[in-house]
């Protein structure tokens, strides 16, 4: 399925602009209309320091039959934080409260038809210095085990591997796959079921030693993720600034997970600018060990002007310029633009 990317720019009366971008499945028209018809009337004219109130008012609006797509209104929250950090003349992660300034990277590949394609991709990123690889295996479950085994044999014992079938396994199938992953020393086993199947996740967590990662698509920000934690239906929770209503929502999830002794591993947004926002959040919390690098990277960097700041040892370094600290490729944005719409206050 193809998708558009909607680039958002919020301007203030102090001449500071906040930037973000939003997914738009198949077409940008729906996302654009939500932004201008539903979100802009609530956000425009507000005080950027009142992000928490704005965030909650958008949730109230959602409940009153607006039903935002999962990837809205997070980008608006990111743009508000970008403005606030720029106004403070601080990089966003320092404005949030820095814990570190870098993270190890794992490459996260797409689905492939043949085992050899997974091996080729994993070895390519290993040889470039990246420290790990996450396989989105093709299914069914027996084929997935074959792919996992072939990858471990190809990359050796010291290279980080992660398994994410984006699955629809039965419980017994997931237990069999999980036990095989344990033998091969995979880091975690992610999303073998739909995120709302909490009883299956609870039983799987109780049956296996490998960490089970879940909640990537769970609706309801921290309120939704809290249900998985309360039912012991995840060993690792996932969040990102696109699908978990922005930096505000992602921080709530990360802090809640920390209080319950869990990591919150930040999930790629598939958009370079929003992954930079992810990076700032990841460096402002303790309970995140890795940065997810969606590959092939050239397909997911738009609308950034430059590549993600990953060094030859597979470490990504958070930008130290104010706000998000990166530049957008406005020439490319204008070249690809199919619609440009402005909403103003008053």
């Amino acid at each position: 399925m193809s998708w558009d990317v909607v680039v958002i720019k919020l301007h203030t009366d102090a001449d500071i602009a906040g930037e973000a971008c939003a997914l738009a499945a198949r077409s940008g028209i729906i996302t654009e209309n939500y932004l201008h018809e539903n979100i802009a009337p609530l956000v425009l004219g507000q005080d950027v320091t009142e992000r928490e109130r704005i965030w909650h008012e958008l949730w109230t609006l959602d409940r009153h039959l607006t039903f935002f797509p999962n990837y809205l209104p997070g980008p608006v929250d990111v743009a508000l934080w970008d403005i606030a950090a720029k106004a403070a003349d601080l990089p966003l992660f320092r404005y949030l409260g820095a814990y570190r300034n870098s993270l190890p990277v794992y490459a996260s590949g797409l689905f492939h038809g043949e085992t050899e394609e997974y091996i080729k991709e994993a070895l390519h990123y290993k040889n470039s210095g990246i420290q790990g690889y996450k396989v989105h295996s093709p299914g069914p479950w027996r084929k997935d085990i074959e792919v996992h085994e072939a990858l471990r044999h190809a990359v050796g014992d010291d290279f980080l591997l992660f398994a994410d079938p984006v699955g629809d396994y039965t419980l017994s199938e997931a237990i069999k796959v999980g036990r095989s992953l344990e033998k091969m020393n995979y880091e975690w086993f992610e999303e073998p079921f739909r995120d709302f199947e909490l009883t299956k996740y609870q039983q799987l967590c109780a049956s296996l030693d490998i960490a089970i990662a879940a909640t990537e698509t769970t609706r309801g920000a921290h309120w939704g993720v809290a249900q998985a934690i309360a039912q012991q239906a995840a060993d690792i929770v996932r969040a990102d600034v696109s699908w978990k209503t922005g930096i505000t929502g992602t921080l709530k999830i990360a802090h809640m997970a920390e209080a319950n002794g869990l990591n919150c591993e930040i999930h790629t947004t598939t958009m370079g600018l929003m992954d930079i926002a992810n990076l700032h959040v990841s460096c402002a919390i303790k309970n995140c060990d890795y940065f997810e690098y969606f590959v092939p990277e050239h397909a997911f960097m738009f609308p950034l002007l430059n590549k993600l700041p990953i060094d030859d040892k597979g470490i990504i370094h958070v930008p130290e310029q104010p706000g998000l600290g990166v530049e957008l490729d406005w020439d490319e944005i204008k070249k690809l633009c199919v619609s440009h719409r402005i909403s103003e206050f008053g």
Side-chain angles (χ1 to χ4, degrees), residues 96-250:
L96 295 172
Y99 179 75
R100 68 188 126 220
N101 60 11
S102 64
L103 276 171
V105 172
Y106 68 88
S108 184
L110 298 174
F111 292 96
H112 298 299
E114 302 296 333
T115 302
E116 291 72 20
E117 295 177 89
Y118 289 103
I119 293 172
K120 181 180 179 181
E121 186 171 65
L123 289 175
H124 168 77
Y125 288 101
K126 179 184 179 182
N127 293 335
S128 70
I130 299 297
Q131 299 190 19
Y133 177 76
K134 186 166 81 174
V135 52
H136 289 94
S137 50
W141 68 274
R142 286 187 176 88
K143 174 64 176 178
D144 292 348
I145 291 176
E146 291 177 12
V147 172
H148 299 152
E149 290 175 342
L151 272 169
R152 175 51 78 198
H153 178 74
V155 301
D157 294 335
D158 297 330
F159 189 65
L160 296 170
L161 286 175
F162 309 78
D164 181 2
V166 190
D168 193 19
Y169 293 161
T170 66
L171 178 60
S172 62
E173 290 168 351
I175 291 173
K176 291 170 185 174
V177 173
R179 285 176 177 160
S180 72
L181 292 170
E182 288 173 345
K183 294 176 182 177
M184 292 178 280
N185 197 31
Y186 273 63
E187 290 294 301
W188 71 60
F189 184 20
E190 182 177 346
E191 201 179 354
F193 319 123
R194 300 293 183 260
D195 276 344
F196 44 73
E197 297 185 271
L198 293 180
T199 300
K200 285 168 72 175
Y201 272 107
Q202 183 185 54
Q203 293 172 315
L204 186 67
C205 289
S207 299
L208 297 176
D209 292 327
I210 188 172
I212 306 301
T215 75
E216 175 182 314
T217 62
T218 298
R219 269 59 168 179
H222 62 307
W223 297 294
V225 175
Q227 311 314 307
I229 294 176
Q231 295 190 42
Q232 298 182 321
D235 300 308
I236 295 168
V237 300
R238 305 226 67 185
D240 70 77
V241 301
S242 175
W243 291 2
K244 291 295 191 289
T245 57
I247 290 166
T248 301
T250 302

Side-chain angles (χ1 to χ4, degrees), residues 96-97 222 229 237 247-264 281 284-287:
L96 295 172
H222 62 307
I229 294 176
V237 300
I247 290 166
T248 301
T250 302
L251 285 173
K252 289 177 185 289
I253 292 168
H255 295 155
M256 178 179 63
E258 182 184 38
N260 283 274
L262 304 181
N263 265 21
C264 177
V281 173
I285 61 176
K286 180 182 179 182
N287 56 329

